[in-house]
Amino acid sequence: MSFAEEAASDVPTLPGTHSGIPTYLLEKARKAKGGIFETRTKPRAERQRLPVVPQGIERDAFLQALAELKEELGAENLEVNDKPLTDGWYMEHPNTHDMMTILDEEELVASAVVYPGSTEEVQQIVAWANKHRIPIFPISMGRNLGYGGAAPRVRGSVTIDLGKRMNKILDINPEDFTCLVEPGVSFYALYEAIQAKGYDHMWIDSPDLGGGSVIGNTVDRGVGYTPYGDHWACHAGLEVVLPTGEVIRTGMGALPGNNTWQTFPYGFGPYSDGIFSQSNFGIVTKMGMTLMPNPGGYESFMYTFPKEEDLAPLMEIIRPLRISNILENVAQLRHVSQSIAARGLPRSTFYTGSGPVPSSILHAEAAKSPVGDHTWAYYGMAYGPSHIRAHKLALIDSEFRKIPGARKIDPSTLPADEYFWSRDRVAAGIPDIQELRWVNWTPNGAHVAFSPVSPIRGTDATALFELGKKRHEQYGIDFWPAFCVGLREMHLIVEIVFDRHDLERKTAALACLRDMVDDAARLGYGEYRTHLVLMDQVAGTYSWGDGALMKFNEKIKDALDPNGILAPGRCGIWPRRYRGRGWEMTRESGLVSEGRGVEMD
Ligand code: ADP
């Protein structure tokens, strides 16, 4: 498909394709696509360094092995990655590479993509990878944007795209409020299925965008915005193919004939699920998820606060309210810079100079908006029937108003496309697509996140805010801090948006991220999740006891994956064959993702 054809084609929908958009969001998705393609200048480059062959196997042996796998799975279920790399966009994303690459686009690429249709076929692929010592990399949907998308960490890995053919909702239980899904089920699809069954007594929890896989997002410990926002905490039961090919079911799933796999997560014995999240120890082929009861009413609220310095006292107010569940969901405190960007207009609309958009311009823009001038905006939701909400909202109101100049925004004054309404839908478990808008800030907009965790305290929030601000100013990058407040901690999410066709801006973004990770670690803060390119650095900051935790992870890796075939390097965990050969990506290794070969048998 040519670029023009790609831009003109319609957005794929559910249920036509498992990764499609629900019809209630189709118009919005069409608009989003238009905006993205209008500002795209990055050409589709001629492919370089073809064929892509992973290190550790000769080219001919590799091509022979691919032919063998093709024979086993059927020709239509294996694609060699030798066509131009097509970035697409959120709803038509590639499964061959990171569409938002911060490196040269040929660095983190798959050699081929395979499409298993069952757990047995996943086992077959794993057996094949062990036989030929070929790295494989599982994805569910491949929309892990900002953290590497669909890209494998080791160049030339064979990507297992689980979602294309394994996308069934195996069970929705309206009495237990649980479901059981395969990797290709998106939040959009789960929401649609529950609506179609008329189960309006049950809610799902969705991240900001609903196109990700429920399994993919959960195993990477993603979050959403209802009281069930901690997806990992809300899952119940896994089916996993191990790197040596055996299948296990965790928790109650290990008991033949059980009827509690999705209702009691632990079973008996060690709780093994943890090692399958943010790791490379297994391929999840089924997962149970708990669903939230419809709370019988809800009401979004928004407060604004005038000054940057309001951050610290505000955190002191938020903490006790959040821990005692008066503030009931993973709410967001966003900086005005992001409120402006969320409108989806290019940065050049506001400012054409270099460096961050001056604060005076941001405030002038905010003053003209329906929300009015502010520095911080808090988005929250109260759940339950109105008399219960009223009690909580009154408490929140009296506390928030202790900040001079605090304003409660009346939702009835906000137009339908105001960002507030997107937060309202997401916090009510209705997946949306609006969050994508700020990617239009630059042409060829891509994003990568800095996501440190801290207690909900004024001193911590200020330290992280100052750290981020300083580095963004140094590298001339717009600073968009958003604090996502969990129960006893908060994630600061700073998305850096950059032009992925501009090497200088990409390099600046990566240098800024590397500095922030190190600065934060010096102060005792670590990231909760990170991009493939930063995984070695972030894993390296968790170094207590002379790297005792990583040594433990490596022991598990070597025991479970003796041939080191499954997602080598993911989350900084390198199998024995790769260690000591310069595979880690650090500031010193620059922009190169590959090391010096692997140990041969
Ligand atoms: P999403 O589309 O939900 O955002 P992805 O499918 O891109 O998520 O998955 C995010 C990351 O989690 C992937 O890069 C992969 O490393 C890991 N992952 C995804 N699905 C699985 C799975 N079924 N088993 C093991 N790891 C997985």
Side-chain angles (χ1 to χ4, degrees):
M1 210 193 285
S2 71
F3 180 82
E5 283 165 344
E6 191 193 344
S9 69
D10 203 1
V11 180
T13 48
L14 279 168
T17 162
H18 75 288
S19 62
I21 196 92
T23 40
Y24 76 91
L25 289 173
L26 181 58
E27 265 322 303
K28 225 170 166 178
R30 284 179 177 147
K31 247 176 129 173
K33 179 174 181 178
I36 287 166
F37 278 83
E38 243 167 59
T39 56
R40 184 162 297 176
T41 59
K42 177 175 177 276
R44 265 192 226 160
E46 285 287 307
R47 289 302 301 275
Q48 310 290 319
R49 300 155 68 186
L50 282 180
V52 185
V53 177
Q55 293 198 34
I57 182 165
E58 292 300 325
R59 171 189 162 137
D60 288 350
F62 180 63
L63 298 179
Q64 184 64 40
L66 282 185
E68 184 187 312
L69 188 60
K70 201 167 185 165
E71 182 74 34
E72 268 186 58
L73 297 178
E76 68 285 10
N77 294 321
L78 186 149
E79 284 171 353
V80 175
N81 179 20
D82 55 3
K83 325 267 174 326
L85 294 175
T86 304
D87 287 343
W89 70 292
Y90 184 73
M91 287 311 302
E92 292 160 278
H93 65 294
N95 58 11
T96 45
H97 65 288
D98 183 3
M99 64 184 262
M100 298 197 159
T101 187
I102 197 157
L103 304 178
D104 179 276
E105 68 177 5
E106 290 283 350
E107 278 294 330
L108 302 178
V109 292
S111 53
V113 183
V114 284
Y115 302 104
S118 63
T119 301
E120 291 71 31
E121 286 192 359
V122 175
Q123 290 178 278
Q124 259 177 284
I125 296 165
V126 167
W128 168 87
N130 275 294
K131 176 176 160 199
H132 298 286
R133 307 285 192 269
I134 291 170
I136 49 178
F137 192 90
I139 58 170
S140 287
M141 192 71 77
R143 281 198 179 115
N144 202 18
L145 302 183
Y147 297 109
R153 173 61 181 83
V154 164
R155 184 171 196 275
S157 299
V158 171
T159 292
I160 309 177
D161 183 337
L162 296 151
K164 185 175 173 191
R165 296 173 64 214
M166 297 172 71
N167 51 43
K168 286 190 288 299
I169 298 173
L170 299 167
D171 186 39
I172 299 177
N173 188 317
E175 282 143 21
D176 297 338
F177 292 74
T178 60
C179 64
L180 182 68
V181 294
E182 289 190 328
V185 176
S186 69
F187 294 93
Y188 291 145
L190 184 58
Y191 175 79
E192 288 282 87
I194 288 175
Q195 299 310 302
K197 284 187 179 289
Y199 291 156
D200 54 12
H201 63 299
M202 288 194 300
W203 281 17
I204 70 158
D205 183 279
S206 172
D208 293 293
L209 294 163
S213 141
V214 178
I215 289 184
N217 180 277
T218 303
V219 297
D220 211 30
R221 299 206 289 265
V223 299
Y225 298 93
T226 73
Y228 277 42
D230 180 347
H231 293 165
W232 183 252
C234 290
H235 93 283
L238 300 175
E239 178 183 271
V240 186
V241 175
L242 300 178
T244 40
E246 302 90 332
V247 187
I248 60 167
R249 289 188 174 182
T250 66
M252 297 307 292
L255 192 101
N258 80 84
N259 58 2
T260 40
W261 194 15
Q262 272 63 70
T263 49
F264 183 59
Y266 307 123
F268 181 75
Y271 178 57
S272 24
D273 290 40
I275 65 166
F276 300 111
S277 76
Q278 289 196 4
S279 76
N280 48 13
F281 299 156
I283 302 175
V284 178
T285 44
K286 292 183 182 65
M287 186 185 76
M289 196 73 186
T290 52
L291 299 166
M292 181 173 143
N294 182 334
Y298 62 89
E299 187 173 339
S300 276
F301 59 91
M302 177 182 185
Y303 283 83
T304 63
F305 306 92
K307 299 199 300 278
E308 243 158 41
E309 310 78 80
D310 294 334
L311 178 63
L314 195 48
M315 285 301 168
E316 296 301 313
I317 290 172
I318 290 172
R319 186 182 58 251
L321 291 175
R322 183 71 184 99
I323 292 179
S324 55
N325 251 326
I326 300 297
L327 293 169
E328 296 167 272
N329 65 338
V330 175
Q332 287 207 5
L333 186 67
R334 293 188 163 221
H335 193 261
V336 61
S337 51
Q338 219 180 7
S339 312
I340 302 298
R343 291 194 208 158
L345 298 169
R347 171 189 145 97
S348 54
T349 318
F350 309 107
Y351 186 60
T352 49
S354 60
V357 177
S359 164
S360 55
I361 295 185
L362 295 174
H363 284 287
E365 281 301 324
K368 285 189 265 170
S369 76
V371 169
D373 191 17
H374 62 278
T375 293
W376 297 106
Y378 185 96
Y379 298 89
M381 186 176 269
Y383 299 89
S386 59
H387 62 284
I388 292 180
R389 295 200 307 266
H391 175 65
K392 291 179 282 196
L393 288 168
L395 270 173
I396 294 164
D397 194 64
S398 67
E399 288 299 306
F400 278 11
R401 285 191 193 279
K402 290 181 180 163
I403 305 285
R407 283 191 299 123
K408 184 171 187 183
I409 305 299
D410 175 1
S412 71
T413 64
L414 301 177
D417 67 343
E418 178 63 38
Y419 181 69
F420 171 88
W421 295 114
S422 174
R423 292 250 62 90
D424 176 65
R425 284 184 289 272
V426 173
I430 305 167
D432 204 356
I433 193 171
Q434 190 146 339
E435 194 68 29
L436 205 60
R437 282 193 179 179
W438 43 257
V439 179
N440 291 348
W441 192 244
T442 66
N444 311 301
H447 61 102
V448 60
F450 167 60
S451 329
V453 179
S454 81
I456 313 166
R457 286 202 197 106
T459 44
D460 296 294
T462 306
L464 285 168
F465 178 77
E466 293 299 337
L467 170 170
K469 190 172 177 183
K470 185 178 118 207
R471 290 299 185 187
H472 279 66
E473 272 166 12
Q474 177 187 343
Y475 289 101
I477 298 171
D478 290 303
F479 182 39
W480 295 354
F483 291 93
C484 297
V485 188
L487 202 54
R488 283 180 176 73
E489 56 72 46
M490 59 193 180
H491 306 359
L492 166 62
I493 308 286
V494 180
E495 290 283 5
I496 293 185
V497 172
F498 58 94
D499 178 347
R500 68 187 186 285
H501 191 43
D502 182 337
L503 181 60
E504 192 267 327
R505 288 289 80 201
K506 287 206 295 194
T507 313
L510 185 54
C512 181
L513 284 160
R514 289 214 181 279
D515 281 347
M516 290 193 296
V517 169
D518 283 347
D519 292 347
R522 269 192 292 274
L523 297 175
Y525 305 112
E527 284 66 48
Y528 93 101
R529 186 180 185 187
T530 200
H531 190 282
L532 286 176
V533 169
L534 293 160
M535 283 179 174
D536 295 306
Q537 185 186 357
V538 169
T541 63
Y542 286 78
S543 62
W544 182 87
D546 193 24
L549 184 61
M550 184 51 81
K551 287 178 194 162
F552 174 74
N553 288 338
E554 287 177 351
K555 257 190 208 161
I556 300 178
K557 181 67 178 167
D558 292 342
L560 292 181
D561 187 6
N563 295 321
I565 47 104
L566 186 63
R570 180 164 155 72
C571 294
I573 306 165
W574 290 97
R576 194 172 30 227
R577 301 175 75 208
Y578 288 75
R579 279 179 224 144
R581 293 167 179 269
W583 282 87
E584 293 82 3
M585 281 203 82
T586 58
R587 199 188 299 271
E588 293 69 42
S589 67
L591 303 176
V592 179
S593 66
E594 288 192 278
R596 300 176 301 277
V598 300
E599 187 184 291
M600 304 303 274
D601 298 320

